[in-house]
Amino acid sequence: MRGRVDTDDLDDRLRRGLGFAHPGLDLPAVTRALEDRNRRLLRARDAMDRTYAEPLDIPALARIAGVSEAHFIRTFRTTFGETPHRYLQRRRVERSMWLLRETDRSVTEICLDVGFSSLGTFSRTFRGIVGASPAAYRRSSAPVPGAVPACFTMAWARPSSFGEAGRPSPPVESAHEELQRHHPRSRLGP
Amino acid sequence: MKNFSAITHAHVWVLDHQEALDFYVGKLGLEVKADFTRGGFRWLTVGVEGEAIPEITLDVPGPPVMDERTAAQVRDLVTKGATGVVLVLRTDDCFATYERLRAQGVEFTQEATDHGYGIDCGLRDPFGNQIRILQPKAWQGKEGRA
């Protein structure tokens, strides 16, 4: 893998528009650093997908991503368009939807299975994302056809939080756009 | 009459050819099918040993195919995992393959799991592309809800 660049420092410099105005700036190195950060944040997001039933451990995720705790939530949101907390909520709700459809476990059991500690929070979060209560969703849903691979189900069945009414989410910004915003006159390449 | 007789080539964006070879050949155990360079463009394909097709082209975004700004956008998408599942590889023993690759430091996103339709696991290449390994079996249908 390519060498690490201190992206916290990079972030600060991008945010303040500092350090990129001089003509000797190596812009390819900057985009590489942002791509490396993308990849490490993706590693942290994968870890969240695996350990969705455990409490959100920001310090551990920040270590995986190689960014400071203080920067983790913001850089995650910049990269993926939603906070780690929201991403985890959607992952848990996706798992609970599957359990509601495919098993006979009670709503309370499922709530605990997917990592919520309170039925109230689970129901409120579920309703906010799905638009129906867990019990109503269970009554209305048909099982997903069995031959669809689980990874596909995980991807398409995950409820979106990007198009919810009345809750506009921030646009996802590419590293390139981020760079352009902070340093609008920059040009990539030689 | 069918329009096609086979899928011979598919393509995966990678960020570096050598790093791609280290992973796809060195770790996954695919073999190089073609590797030549013309006019600064490298045609590099890999595939399953002993199988003629399909060949997977490992392409690095950039000139002369696209300008550097566009290439930066592609790299951005690859590294944040937005390319989705780029390959599904079939195996005769998913658990064994999983253990072998894990021991080599392959980055798994999901351990080998029996899903009913087969046993599969998920991993990422060094760049962010998602790959699945599947040991399929005939779908039996979910008990009582098939």
Side-chain angles (χ1 to χ4, degrees), chain B:
Chain B
M1 153 112 192
K2 291 191 295 182
N3 281 334
F4 313 110
S5 57
I7 295 176
T8 60
H9 290 72
H11 130 109
V12 172
W13 286 123
V14 298
L15 301 197
D16 180 88
H17 278 131
Q18 188 54 52
E19 209 175 334
L21 282 172
D22 290 347
F23 177 77
Y24 283 94
V25 177
K27 286 192 173 168
L28 291 191
L30 300 178
E31 68 175 12
V32 174
K33 299 290 190 186
D35 184 3
F36 55 87
T37 302
R38 292 287 184 280
F41 180 78
R42 184 170 179 185
W43 176 257
L44 175 61
T45 76
V46 296
V48 174
E49 194 178 340
E51 302 289 331
I53 58 169
E55 292 181 44
I56 308 301
T57 67
L58 302 174
D59 293 327
V60 175
V65 176
M66 62 182 69
D67 69 307
E68 176 52 34
R69 181 190 161 149
T70 307
Q73 292 175 318
V74 172
R75 293 196 304 265
D76 190 46
L77 293 174
V78 170
T79 51
K80 65 170 72 173
T83 49
V85 177
V86 296
L87 288 178
V88 180
L89 303 169
R90 191 169 63 199
T91 180
D92 293 333
D93 188 341
C94 190
F95 286 113
T97 303
Y98 167 74
E99 291 298 339
R100 218 166 28 244
L101 294 179
R102 200 173 61 137
Q104 291 182 58
V106 169
E107 181 179 335
F108 278 92
T109 55
Q110 190 181 46
E111 62 185 2
T113 307
D114 191 336
H115 290 289
Y117 56 79
I119 302 161
D120 85 345
C121 55
L123 59 101
R124 288 198 191 276
D125 79 1
F127 317 106
N129 294 304
Q130 204 180 347
I131 294 169
R132 307 287 305 184
I133 297 174
L134 174 64
Q135 177 188 344
K137 69 180 164 204
W139 173 249
Q140 302 295 318
K142 189 177 185 302
E143 194 180 343
R145 296 183 80 167

